[in-house]
Amino acid sequence: MEEPDDMSHTLTVLWTIEPQTPPRPWLACSRCRRTRPFECSGKTRLNANGRRLDAWLIYRCADCDGTWNRPIFERRSVRDIAPETLDALQNNDSGWIRQVSFDVEGLRRNTDTIEEFAECRVTRRVLAQPLEGCTQLEIVLAVPLPIGMRTDRLLSAELGLSRNRLVRLEEAGRLKLLSGPRKALQRPIRDGMRVILDLANEGNQGDVADRATGRLHPA
């Protein structure tokens, strides 16, 4: 893995990105008699048939409150279910339900039309301070739940740099995206992605660094 060239001038920060709104599947609603978005209710349903279980996550139509049961598993033997999963289902564990509600790939088994939201909360933690003046910024992204926000949109909003400016920096080799897919700047952020930004020739390098650490709030 590539490392920053000069750690003495590098500010390293960890950004934890938490999406705020779960994706909404668009499904045929029997009450509305048309395709409508459905929202996670935060409730599960568990049904026993002998020693086998069925489990669903309950969604509600955004317009009429009609319900859709999203299958989690069907006819699963009790002994094949992890104890923590069974406990979460029996107690409507909010953390477990939130994790499942953001599983876009799981939703794609039921519909091709899924509405994703880019709103997120960014928590910052400084991992390493520069020994001298800050001329290089390294951002490590922790993304525990899938989110549709593009990398350029995140960096632009949080660092105060226009998306066009970010593209020019990348083309000049002064912005590098490590551990990400090809053309990562235009794609959704991913867990473990690292952003290396050369600030040496940026007139507002202090503001960019302060935004990265949270000392200066995004405009």
Side-chain angles (χ1 to χ4, degrees):
M1 181 177 292
E2 184 178 345
E3 297 295 337
D5 295 331
D6 187 353
M7 297 300 294
S8 65
H9 294 278
T10 300
L11 169 65
T12 304
V13 295
L14 172 67
W15 286 2
T16 301
I17 316 297
E18 296 180 87
Q20 298 301 290
T21 305
R24 303 196 305 182
W26 282 66
L27 305 159
C29 177
S30 59
R31 288 187 180 181
C32 295
R33 298 186 181 278
R34 56 177 174 163
T35 302
R36 302 302 302 157
F38 279 70
E39 300 171 342
C40 180
S41 70
K43 301 293 183 181
T44 61
R45 179 184 171 193
L46 191 62
N47 183 59
N49 185 358
R51 294 292 294 172
R52 296 190 176 275
L53 298 177
D54 299 312
W56 301 270
L57 184 57
I58 302 172
Y59 284 68
R60 296 191 180 279
C61 174
D63 282 1
C64 74
D65 211 33
T67 61
W68 169 61
N69 292 335
R70 173 185 171 183
I72 303 301
F73 54 75
E74 297 177 329
R75 297 295 185 267
R76 181 78 59 84
S77 173
V78 174
R79 64 173 178 270
D80 294 334
I81 304 172
E84 57 271 21
T85 299
L86 188 57
D87 182 70
L89 286 164
Q90 290 173 329
N91 295 286
N92 280 306
D93 182 84
S94 59
W96 186 89
I97 290 172
R98 178 174 170 80
Q99 187 82 27
V100 175
S101 70
F102 278 94
D103 178 14
V104 177
E105 294 308 311
L107 279 174
R108 293 196 197 284
R109 292 195 288 268
N110 304 105
T111 178
D112 293 327
T113 306
I114 299 172
E115 183 180 5
E116 296 186 69
F117 302 89
E119 292 79 12
C120 66
R121 180 174 62 191
V122 181
T123 304
R124 301 164 173 81
R125 180 162 63 92
V126 175
L127 300 180
Q129 290 277 11
L131 300 177
E132 303 173 32
C134 177
T135 59
Q136 186 165 252
L137 172 65
E138 177 185 16
I139 303 170
V140 182
L141 298 183
V143 189
L145 295 171
I147 184 171
M149 174 177 274
R150 285 174 33 148
T151 304
D152 57 356
R153 179 175 176 181
L154 173 72
L155 296 177
S156 178
E158 300 301 324
L159 297 179
L161 298 171
S162 71
R163 284 193 255 184
N164 286 336
R165 180 60 181 157
L166 293 170
V167 170
R168 291 196 297 271
L169 287 168
E170 185 180 39
E171 291 173 345
R174 295 177 53 210
L175 172 62
K176 299 178 182 179
L177 302 171
L178 311 179
S179 305
R182 185 172 175 269
K183 296 184 178 180
L185 197 61
Q186 290 80 35
R187 295 189 177 184
I189 58 177
R190 292 290 181 265
D191 186 45
M193 183 182 291
R194 293 170 61 213
V195 180
I196 308 294
L197 178 58
D198 178 4
L199 297 175
N201 297 319
E202 293 297 309
N204 61 339
Q205 60 182 242
D207 287 349
V208 173
D210 284 345
R211 285 190 174 95
T213 61
R215 287 192 292 266
L216 180 65
H217 294 293

